Amino acid sequence: MESQNKWSMKMSKGLDMEIIHHPPKMRSVVNLIIAMERLKAADMFEFRDEELLSFMRESIIEERVVFETTAAPTQEYIKTEESLCMVNDTENKSLYWVPNNMELNAIILQGGADTCRAHMSMSTYVHPAPPVETQIVALGIRNTNYFLSCHKDGEVPTLRVELVEDKDSLQRISSNSDLNRFLFYKTVTGVNISTLVSVRYSDFYISTALENNRPVELCQDSAPRYRSLVFEQLNKNSGCERQL
Ligand SMILES: *[C@@H]1O[C@H](CO)[C@@H](O)[C@H](O)[C@H]1NC(C)=O
Ligand SMILES: *[C@@H]1O[C@H](CO)[C@@H](O)[C@H](O)[C@H]1NC(C)=O
Ligand SMILES: *[C@@H]1O[C@H](CO)[C@@H](O)[C@H](O)[C@H]1NC(C)=O
């Protein structure tokens, strides 16, 4: 290291050479140089050991402030894969969608009325720093441009089925973009069972009512609603005449 010579030349009695032999982190190097410059300006030989130490410490603490003020990097959610599924709550109420409606309902369907169930496509996203043990997903209605999204209706976050002009806009979503309304943290809580929490309103879950045939909504932890959802994988080729 070229600076080693330079440092040695500047080095005066009372500064330990060892700091240089262990390659320090860049910040330490900078701090040390700053401290050295200050020491050069002062009359070194008038310092007692403890004065020298506190001088060094002061310099290091002061400069640390400067080096830690870096801006948080913008993060991006990037879509990686897509799978097909149908969703129930844990009471066998099936998510059901009437075309062009702005909401899903949860309905007990009798005798294998599967064609009435909403066939969903679930997109999975990668993110540089997802919360531990969760996936980031977006949920759309299969073969449509409709996606579940979270909005604030007054003070209360609500769930909507929203028409997206351009599906490609959901391919990459910046973490501070408005499009984060389409994203959910999916946490697996049992075999084929997960909860879905809004990325935008981070303590609001997709949930169904205790009663039959009510809208699927967002709710908090304490609300008397069902937050566990049962996912049933759909085969890519499974026919579905009723879907658009
Ligand atoms: C849900 O349906 C399955 C069969 O389709 C049944 O075995 C199960 O007991 C039902 N669960 C509830 C909570 O009704
Ligand atoms: C979902 O609920 C329907 C009844 O609405 C039932 O037939 C089906 O077996 C349930 N699926 C799962 C995976 O629990
Ligand atoms: C979980 O889902 C898979 C695929 O949809 C299915 O084969 C399996 O039987 C399910 N397991 C339970 C416990 O429901």
Side-chain angles (χ1 to χ4, degrees), residues 136-167:
I136 290 161
V137 301
L139 280 167
I141 310 285
R142 183 187 185 181
N143 296 334
T144 75
N145 277 23
Y146 285 91
F147 288 82
L148 297 193
S149 67
C150 303
H151 299 259
K152 235 181 190 160
D153 197 359
E155 279 305 289
V156 189
T158 57
L159 187 71
R160 263 193 227 157
V161 181
E162 181 180 341
L163 182 63
V164 175
E165 296 276 319
D166 176 16
K167 271 193 200 190

Coordinates of all heavy atoms in Angstrom, one line a residue, residues 136-167:
I136 N -43.5 -12.6 -1.5 CA -44.3 -11.4 -2.0 C -45.0 -11.9 -3.2 O -44.4 -12.4 -4.2 CB -43.3 -10.2 -2.2 CG1 -42.9 -9.8 -0.8 CG2 -44.1 -9.1 -2.9 CD1 -41.7 -8.9 -0.8
V137 N -46.3 -11.6 -3.2 CA -47.1 -12.1 -4.3 C -48.1 -11.0 -4.8 O -48.4 -10.1 -4.0 CB -47.9 -13.4 -3.9 CG1 -47.0 -14.5 -3.5 CG2 -49.0 -13.1 -2.8
A138 N -48.6 -11.2 -6.0 CA -49.8 -10.5 -6.5 C -50.8 -11.5 -6.9 O -50.4 -12.6 -7.4 CB -49.4 -9.5 -7.6
L139 N -52.1 -11.2 -6.8 CA -53.1 -12.1 -7.1 C -54.0 -11.5 -8.2 O -54.6 -10.4 -8.0 CB -54.0 -12.5 -5.9 CG -53.4 -13.5 -5.0 CD1 -54.2 -13.5 -3.6 CD2 -53.4 -14.9 -5.6
G140 N -54.1 -12.2 -9.3 CA -55.0 -11.7 -10.4 C -56.1 -12.8 -10.7 O -56.0 -13.9 -10.2
I141 N -57.1 -12.4 -11.4 CA -58.1 -13.3 -11.9 C -57.6 -13.9 -13.2 O -57.2 -13.1 -14.1 CB -59.5 -12.7 -12.1 CG1 -59.9 -11.8 -10.9 CG2 -60.5 -13.7 -12.6 CD1 -60.4 -12.6 -9.8
R142 N -57.5 -15.2 -13.3 CA -56.9 -15.9 -14.4 C -57.5 -15.3 -15.7 O -58.7 -15.1 -15.9 CB -57.2 -17.4 -14.3 CG -56.6 -18.2 -15.4 CD -57.1 -19.6 -15.3 NE -56.4 -20.5 -16.3 CZ -56.7 -21.8 -16.4 NH1 -57.6 -22.3 -15.6 NH2 -56.1 -22.5 -17.3
N143 N -56.6 -15.2 -16.7 CA -56.9 -14.7 -18.0 C -57.7 -13.4 -18.1 O -58.4 -13.1 -19.0 CB -57.8 -15.8 -18.8 CG -57.0 -17.1 -19.0 OD1 -55.8 -17.1 -19.0 ND2 -57.7 -18.2 -19.1
T144 N -57.5 -12.6 -17.1 CA -58.0 -11.2 -17.2 C -56.9 -10.2 -16.8 O -55.8 -10.6 -16.4 CB -59.2 -11.0 -16.2 OG1 -58.7 -10.9 -14.9 CG2 -60.2 -12.2 -16.2
N145 N -57.3 -8.9 -16.8 CA -56.4 -7.9 -16.3 C -56.8 -7.4 -15.0 O -56.5 -6.3 -14.6 CB -56.3 -6.7 -17.3 CG -55.4 -7.0 -18.4 OD1 -55.0 -8.2 -18.7 ND2 -54.9 -6.0 -19.1
Y146 N -57.6 -8.2 -14.3 CA -58.1 -7.8 -12.9 C -57.2 -8.4 -11.8 O -56.8 -9.6 -11.9 CB -59.5 -8.3 -12.7 CG -60.6 -7.5 -13.4 CD1 -61.0 -7.9 -14.7 CD2 -61.1 -6.4 -12.8 CE1 -61.9 -7.1 -15.4 CE2 -62.1 -5.6 -13.5 CZ -62.5 -6.0 -14.8 OH -63.4 -5.3 -15.5
F147 N -56.8 -7.5 -10.9 CA -55.9 -7.9 -9.8 C -56.4 -7.4 -8.5 O -57.1 -6.3 -8.4 CB -54.5 -7.3 -10.0 CG -53.7 -8.0 -11.1 CD1 -54.0 -7.6 -12.5 CD2 -52.8 -9.0 -10.9 CE1 -53.3 -8.2 -13.5 CE2 -52.1 -9.6 -11.9 CZ -52.4 -9.2 -13.2
L148 N -56.2 -8.1 -7.4 CA -56.5 -7.6 -6.1 C -55.6 -6.5 -5.7 O -54.4 -6.6 -5.9 CB -56.4 -8.7 -5.0 CG -57.3 -10.0 -5.2 CD1 -57.2 -10.8 -3.9 CD2 -58.7 -9.6 -5.5
S149 N -56.2 -5.4 -5.1 CA -55.4 -4.3 -4.7 C -55.9 -3.6 -3.5 O -57.1 -3.8 -3.1 CB -55.3 -3.2 -5.9 OG -56.6 -2.7 -6.1
C150 N -55.0 -2.9 -2.8 CA -55.4 -2.3 -1.5 C -55.4 -0.8 -1.6 O -54.5 -0.2 -2.1 CB -54.4 -2.7 -0.4 SG -54.2 -4.5 -0.3
H151 N -56.5 -0.2 -1.2 CA -56.7 1.2 -1.3 C -57.2 1.7 0.1 O -57.7 1.0 0.9 CB -57.8 1.6 -2.3 CG -57.5 1.1 -3.6 ND1 -57.0 1.9 -4.6 CD2 -57.5 -0.1 -4.2 CE1 -56.8 1.2 -5.7 NE2 -57.1 0.0 -5.5
K152 N -57.1 3.0 0.3 CA -57.6 3.6 1.5 C -58.9 4.3 1.2 O -59.0 5.2 0.3 CB -56.6 4.6 2.2 CG -56.4 4.1 3.6 CD -55.5 5.0 4.4 CE -55.2 4.3 5.7 NZ -54.0 4.8 6.3
D153 N -60.0 3.9 1.8 CA -61.3 4.4 1.6 C -61.5 5.2 2.9 O -61.9 4.7 3.9 CB -62.3 3.3 1.5 CG -63.6 3.7 0.9 OD1 -63.7 4.9 0.6 OD2 -64.5 2.8 0.8
G154 N -61.2 6.5 2.9 CA -61.2 7.3 4.1 C -60.0 6.8 4.9 O -58.9 6.8 4.5
E155 N -60.3 6.4 6.2 CA -59.3 6.0 7.0 C -59.0 4.5 6.9 O -58.0 4.0 7.4 CB -59.6 6.3 8.5 CG -59.4 7.7 8.9 CD -57.9 8.1 8.7 OE1 -57.1 7.6 9.4 OE2 -57.7 8.9 7.7
V156 N -59.9 3.8 6.3 CA -59.9 2.3 6.3 C -59.4 1.7 5.0 O -59.9 1.9 4.0 CB -61.3 1.7 6.6 CG1 -61.3 0.2 6.9 CG2 -62.0 2.5 7.7
P157 N -58.3 0.9 5.1 CA -57.8 0.2 3.9 C -58.9 -0.9 3.5 O -59.5 -1.6 4.3 CB -56.6 -0.6 4.4 CG -56.1 0.1 5.7 CD -57.4 0.6 6.3
T158 N -59.1 -0.9 2.2 CA -60.1 -1.8 1.6 C -59.5 -2.6 0.5 O -58.5 -2.1 -0.2 CB -61.3 -1.1 1.1 OG1 -60.9 -0.1 0.1 CG2 -62.1 -0.4 2.2
L159 N -60.1 -3.7 0.2 CA -59.6 -4.6 -0.9 C -60.5 -4.4 -2.1 O -61.7 -4.3 -2.0 CB -59.7 -6.1 -0.4 CG -59.1 -7.1 -1.4 CD1 -57.5 -7.0 -1.4 CD2 -59.5 -8.5 -0.9
R160 N -59.8 -4.3 -3.3 CA -60.6 -4.1 -4.5 C -60.1 -5.1 -5.5 O -59.0 -5.6 -5.5 CB -60.3 -2.7 -5.0 CG -61.4 -1.8 -4.7 CD -61.3 -0.5 -5.5 NE -61.3 0.6 -4.6 CZ -60.8 1.8 -4.9 NH1 -60.2 2.0 -6.1 NH2 -61.0 2.8 -4.1
V161 N -61.0 -5.4 -6.5 CA -60.5 -6.1 -7.7 C -60.4 -5.0 -8.7 O -61.4 -4.4 -9.1 CB -61.6 -7.2 -8.1 CG1 -61.1 -7.9 -9.4 CG2 -61.8 -8.1 -7.0
E162 N -59.2 -4.7 -9.1 CA -58.9 -3.5 -9.9 C -58.4 -3.9 -11.3 O -57.6 -4.8 -11.5 CB -57.8 -2.7 -9.3 CG -57.4 -1.4 -10.0 CD -56.3 -0.6 -9.3 OE1 -56.1 -0.8 -8.1 OE2 -55.7 0.2 -10.0
L163 N -59.0 -3.2 -12.3 CA -58.6 -3.5 -13.7 C -57.2 -2.8 -14.0 O -57.1 -1.6 -13.8 CB -59.6 -2.9 -14.7 CG -59.4 -3.1 -16.2 CD1 -59.3 -4.6 -16.5 CD2 -60.5 -2.5 -17.0
V164 N -56.3 -3.5 -14.5 CA -54.9 -3.0 -14.8 C -54.8 -2.8 -16.3 O -55.0 -3.8 -17.0 CB -53.8 -3.9 -14.2 CG1 -52.5 -3.4 -14.7 CG2 -53.9 -4.0 -12.7
E165 N -54.6 -1.6 -16.8 CA -54.5 -1.4 -18.2 C -53.4 -2.3 -18.8 O -53.6 -2.9 -19.8 CB -54.1 0.1 -18.5 CG -55.2 1.1 -18.0 CD -56.3 1.2 -19.1 OE1 -55.9 1.3 -20.3 OE2 -57.4 1.3 -18.7
D166 N -52.2 -2.2 -18.2 CA -51.1 -2.9 -18.8 C -50.4 -3.8 -17.8 O -49.8 -3.4 -16.9 CB -50.1 -1.8 -19.2 CG -48.8 -2.4 -19.8 OD1 -48.8 -3.6 -20.1 OD2 -47.8 -1.7 -19.9
K167 N -50.7 -5.1 -18.0 CA -50.2 -6.1 -17.0 C -48.6 -6.0 -16.9 O -48.1 -6.4 -15.8 CB -50.5 -7.6 -17.6 CG -51.8 -8.1 -17.2 CD -51.8 -9.6 -17.5 CE -53.2 -10.1 -17.6 NZ -53.2 -11.6 -17.6

